[in-house]
Structure formats: C-alpha cells, structure tokens
C-alpha cells in the first residue's frame, strides 16, 4: 500500500468485483485465472483502469449481462477496444493498450453496467472515486 496506492486500490476493486459478481461456493476456475492474470498485469500496466475494465467486461460477458458491442453507445475506437478485450486470452491481457479517452469511455459504460447488475456500488469503487482515480461512483 505504501509503494503504490493506485495499484492497491485497483487490485482491491478487482477482488471485490469478482466476489460480488460470482456465487459463493460455486467454482469459477476461468474467472479465478482471469483475476490472477489481471492482478499480475496490474503490477506492470501503464494504466490500471484498463485492466479493471477488462475484468468488468469479461465478468459481465460471463454472466450474460454485456449487451452486444454494436448496441453500446461508444465511439468506433471504443467498440474496437472492447472487442479486443473480449477476444484477448486471459494470459495476454497485460498487452492490451487503449488511449486515455477510450479508457474513460469504457470505464464509464462498463462501470455503469456493473452497478446495474449489482444494484449497488462497491466500497472499493467509491474509494477509487474518492482518491480521484475514477469518475462518478
């Protein structure tokens, strides 16, 4: 925590999100591998927000809560980035790069979808907002 508050905050959000979007006692080996890969990639990532978006998108897709990409109100660049996120193998997610504007657009829409699915906001997401790493909680 002392070395990198941003990294710690996003890691906490990722773990919190997986906990909230999966059933207790129901094994999810693919999701566990995805979480492990996201946490490993966070340490080397240029942008932690992109990796949080990767996890959000993949969890929404796994739960059947992600609309078709073409139906989302996003720029063509953001749609292409989201399609890349959904196609990239879990062990290669650290290679995903997007522009800051695309990252903001994806984080806004994916975070909103996650909040609707959960019907509440996570404390870890509110913390990201409180320290200035995310937009509206």
């Amino acid at each position: 925590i002392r070395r990198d508050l941003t990294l710690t905050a996003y890691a906490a959000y990722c773990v919190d999100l997986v906990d909230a979007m999966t059933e207790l006692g129901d094994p999810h080996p693919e999701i566990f591998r995805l979480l492990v890969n996201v946490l490993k990639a966070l340490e080397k990532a240029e942008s932690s927000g992109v990796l949080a978006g990767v996890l959000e998108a993949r969890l929404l897709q796994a739960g059947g809560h992600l609309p078709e990409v073409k139906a989302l109100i996003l720029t063509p660049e953001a749609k292409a980035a989201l399609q890349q996120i959904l196609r990239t193998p879990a062990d290669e997610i650290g290679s995903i790069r997007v522009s800051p504007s695309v990252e903001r657009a994806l984080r806004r829409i994916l975070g909103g979808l996650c909040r609707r699915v959960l019907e509440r906001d996570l404390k870890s997401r509110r913390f990201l907002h409180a320290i200035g790493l995310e937009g509206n909680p």
Side-chain angles (χ1 to χ4, degrees):
I1 291 173
R2 290 183 185 131
R3 288 188 327 170
D4 193 335
L5 181 61
T6 299
L7 178 67
T8 302
Y10 275 108
Y13 174 67
C14 290
V15 171
D16 204 12
L17 186 63
V18 167
D19 179 56
M21 291 188 76
T22 56
E23 295 295 322
L24 186 64
D26 189 9
H28 297 279
E30 312 84 35
I31 292 174
F32 178 76
R33 278 192 300 280
L34 177 63
L35 177 61
V36 168
N37 284 312
V38 166
L39 294 174
K40 286 179 181 178
L42 276 172
E43 189 172 14
K44 300 172 188 164
E46 293 174 18
S47 172
S48 301
V50 170
L51 290 167
V54 167
L55 187 61
E56 289 169 336
R58 300 291 271 277
L59 287 172
L60 287 164
Q61 183 183 47
H65 302 290
L66 185 66
E68 287 187 42
V69 174
K70 64 182 178 182
L72 295 171
I73 301 171
L74 290 168
T75 65
E77 296 83 12
K79 286 182 182 184
L82 182 54
Q83 289 172 331
Q84 176 191 9
I85 285 168
L86 296 173
R87 282 192 315 262
T88 301
D91 60 340
E92 296 176 19
I93 56 173
S95 66
I96 295 172
R97 305 280 185 271
V98 300
S99 70
S101 63
V102 167
E103 179 184 340
R104 284 190 300 276
L106 290 176
R107 298 290 296 127
R108 187 174 44 254
I109 199 154
L110 294 170
L113 288 169
C114 285
R115 283 191 301 279
R116 274 188 239 130
V117 167
L118 297 173
E119 298 178 354
R120 64 181 172 88
D121 201 16
L122 301 174
K123 287 182 183 180
S124 55
R125 184 159 172 95
R126 287 195 310 266
F127 180 71
L128 286 167
H129 173 72
I131 63 174
L133 295 174
E134 292 284 324
N136 294 333

